[in-house]
Amino acid sequence: MTKLIQLWAELRSSFWFVPSLIVASSMAFAVALIEADSAVSDQWLSQWPRLFGVGAEGARQMLSTLAGSMMTVMGITFSMTLLALAQASSQYTSRILRNFMRSRITQMTLGAFAGIFAYCLIVLRTVRGGGAGDEFVPSLAVFFAFIMALGGIGALIYFIHHIATSIQASSIIATIAQETNASLDRVLPKETQQDSNAEAGCNRDLALLDARVWYPVAATSTGYIQSVDTAALMDLARDSSSVVRMERGIGSFVVQDTALVSLALTQPPEQKIVTAFNATYSIGRQRTVEQDPGFGIRQIVDVAIKALSPGVNDTSTAVMCVDYLTAILARLAGRQFPPRHGYEGETLRVVAIVLSFEGLLAEAFDQIRASAETNVAILLRMLSALETIASQTISRSHIGALDQQLQWIAEVVGRCIKSTHDRARLDKRLSQVSKMLETQSALNIN
């Protein structure tokens, strides 16, 4: 299943898959209309001479013109797409290029122009003009070529609008945030509950495992871990009567022949077991957001750091990044995170590397805080973010992580802010957020 998920993700982010489907559909549609033309009597079509009364020469000229025009427009569309990719990469971060390539609008627009071109070629090949009884003009197919060309004009206009809006910072950040939230819903559903009894007995189980030897299972390829089939890991741990300890989590970079997982066994694992464990991991050349919401946060952080760099100095874009990171973390704050230890009944089977609120919070704010040491607007926005996230949290441990972030911001303010006026504003907000965190900590009992 993990291999299928990885394959589907790669197909979605390719420029050839959806256009190829559209081209194949257009060719099949052309053949179907040509056959329909052969079956429909000329008497019926002659009732609408202004729609279907085209001669062989006129049909050839129109189809040739449409086919040539579509290839020209498709070249322009490719050029616009590559220009948008280059500008987004240089102005924001190269990590967002995958989001542009995954755009359904871009893929379908390219596919529409290529499909119309292929359609016209198929129909043009069947047009015959000659002596009596030898002429064949697929009037229905020629008519629909005209309709498809009009649709292509509409697609071009909409594509230009799409490109103009998609390279705006607000659109890029909002799209990344939307994909990150969707990933969170997949890997961290609201109903996720932590088994406190199982966690309480875990230290005892791990102590018993210390007497056993941990045998590493080496990775068979190098790259980023894109997804892990945790259910398959549990099944393999049961079948091998062992405990599986994950050495690399989703989003981590793994080197071939280094440990992917470790098994608590009495003897080294057989090769078929090594192969089976590798099959539960999907490893690719880059991180993906499907099961890795931390990568979505990483992309937004990269945009913020680029905006705060001296060469760009775009505070407004960095503020937007902080705002969307706030929305993502506030969504996380109200959820229970899964336990690290997976049990089958009373038996410990998997020691996993899982998402944590503290880790994602640090991923979101640590580098932005370091890059905005003298930027009062960003520091104030981060304080507001901590306040908003705290209002949605259900855990004292989350409050503790937020308080730690607050202390680090206070340290930056004391060290870097020299203006008396700015220092007073920040100290006031620090005091307000600190009191709010104390209140939330008293209200939460988890």
Side-chain angles (χ1 to χ4, degrees):
M1 181 59 70
T2 55
K3 300 299 182 183
L4 292 177
I5 294 174
Q6 182 183 21
L7 176 61
W8 176 243
E10 291 176 355
L11 291 177
R12 280 194 61 196
S13 60
S14 66
F15 268 155
W16 63 267
F17 180 65
V18 172
S20 297
L21 291 179
I22 295 176
V23 170
S25 301
S26 299
M27 295 172 67
F29 185 52
V31 172
L33 285 180
I34 292 169
E35 292 299 322
D37 265 301
S38 301
V40 174
S41 65
D42 294 336
Q43 222 173 23
W44 183 80
L45 293 176
S46 63
Q47 298 178 21
W48 294 279
R50 295 186 182 275
L51 293 179
F52 305 111
V54 60
E57 188 61 29
R60 286 197 189 97
Q61 291 181 0
M62 187 180 78
L63 292 172
S64 300
T65 301
L66 291 180
S69 300
M70 288 304 109
M71 285 304 293
T72 301
V73 172
M74 189 167 65
I76 295 173
T77 303
F78 268 113
S79 299
M80 293 174 63
T81 302
L82 294 177
L83 180 62
L85 291 176
Q87 181 174 349
S89 177
S90 62
Q91 186 171 351
Y92 303 108
T93 172
S94 60
R95 291 179 185 263
I96 66 173
L97 294 185
R98 186 178 177 87
N99 297 333
F100 278 89
M101 295 181 66
R102 286 163 54 93
S103 171
R104 278 286 180 264
I105 295 175
T106 301
Q107 293 175 359
M108 293 184 70
T109 301
L110 294 172
F113 295 141
I116 295 172
F117 172 76
Y119 177 93
C120 291
L121 288 185
I122 295 295
V123 177
L124 181 61
R125 183 178 178 276
T126 63
V127 177
R128 296 192 303 271
D134 190 38
E135 181 174 309
F136 175 71
V137 179
S139 302
L140 278 175
V142 172
F143 172 74
F144 274 98
F146 173 73
I147 297 299
M148 292 171 69
L150 294 179
I153 295 173
L156 177 62
I157 294 172
Y158 186 75
F159 176 75
I160 294 173
H161 166 78
H162 167 69
I163 286 294
T165 56
S166 64
I167 61 176
Q168 296 178 18
S170 57
S171 178
I172 292 173
I173 299 168
T175 300
I176 298 172
Q178 184 180 9
E179 291 186 347
T180 304
N181 286 329
S183 176
L184 289 172
D185 291 338
R186 283 191 296 269
V187 302
L188 196 66
K190 292 182 180 180
E191 63 269 15
T192 299
Q193 295 294 329
Q194 185 167 345
D195 188 346
S196 57
N197 294 328
E199 288 296 295
C202 182
N203 290 334
R204 181 195 69 243
D205 294 332
L206 291 178
L208 294 175
L209 289 172
D210 288 341
R212 304 177 70 175
V213 178
W214 291 93
Y215 289 96
V217 173
T220 56
S221 59
T222 297
Y224 289 96
I225 298 175
Q226 297 177 345
S227 63
V228 179
D229 191 341
T230 54
L233 278 180
M234 181 71 75
D235 292 340
L236 289 172
R238 181 188 65 245
D239 295 341
S240 59
S241 300
S242 66
V243 179
V244 178
R245 184 179 68 197
M246 294 176 62
E247 303 292 350
R248 300 287 188 276
I250 294 176
S252 300
F253 187 80
V254 62
V255 178
Q256 185 176 359
D257 296 329
T258 61
L260 193 60
V261 299
S262 295
L263 305 180
L265 295 171
T266 57
Q267 59 184 1
E270 299 177 358
Q271 183 57 42
K272 65 178 183 179
I273 296 178
V274 173
T275 303
F277 275 102
N278 272 274
T280 64
Y281 281 74
S282 291
I283 299 176
R285 290 178 292 180
Q286 57 188 345
R287 294 176 68 179
T288 59
V289 78
E290 278 73 17
Q291 289 193 24
D292 185 10
F295 180 56
I297 292 175
R298 176 76 259 171
Q299 291 179 77
I300 298 177
V301 170
D302 284 345
V303 174
I305 294 174
K306 189 68 173 288
L308 291 171
S309 63
V312 178
N313 196 22
D314 185 0
T315 300
S316 296
T317 296
V319 166
M320 281 191 289
C321 292
V322 174
D323 289 342
Y324 277 101
L325 289 171
T326 304
I328 293 170
L329 292 169
R331 190 186 186 95
L332 277 174
R335 301 189 182 187
Q336 295 282 355
F337 283 73
R340 291 189 61 236
H341 308 99
Y343 280 80
E344 182 189 29
E346 298 296 325
T347 305
L348 177 64
R349 289 300 186 196
V350 177
V351 181
I353 298 176
V354 297
L355 291 174
S356 69
F357 178 81
E358 294 79 8
L360 293 176
L361 181 67
E363 180 79 21
F365 287 151
D366 282 357
Q367 284 191 284
I368 294 179
R369 183 182 63 252
S371 299
E373 289 185 337
T374 59
N375 194 314
V376 176
I378 298 299
L379 294 176
L380 287 171
R381 208 66 166 201
M382 293 181 68
L383 290 173
S384 297
L386 296 179
E387 190 175 43
T388 301
I389 297 167
S391 68
Q392 301 297 314
T393 191
I394 61 172
S395 171
R396 279 185 177 176
S397 64
H398 296 177
I399 294 294
L402 293 170
D403 184 66
Q404 191 174 45
Q405 289 287 332
L406 181 68
Q407 300 307 316
W408 289 336
I409 293 176
E411 187 271 333
V412 168
V413 170
R415 177 167 49 86
C416 300
I417 303 301
K418 305 303 181 183
S419 169
T420 304
H421 172 69
D422 291 338
R423 176 77 69 84
R425 291 172 61 198
L426 287 165
D427 287 342
K428 181 179 179 181
R429 284 296 290 147
L430 284 166
S431 177
Q432 292 172 346
V433 176
S434 179
K435 291 179 181 178
M436 195 269 186
L437 291 177
E438 291 176 2
T439 302
Q440 285 297 110
S441 179
L443 291 175
N444 289 285
I445 59 174
N446 291 336

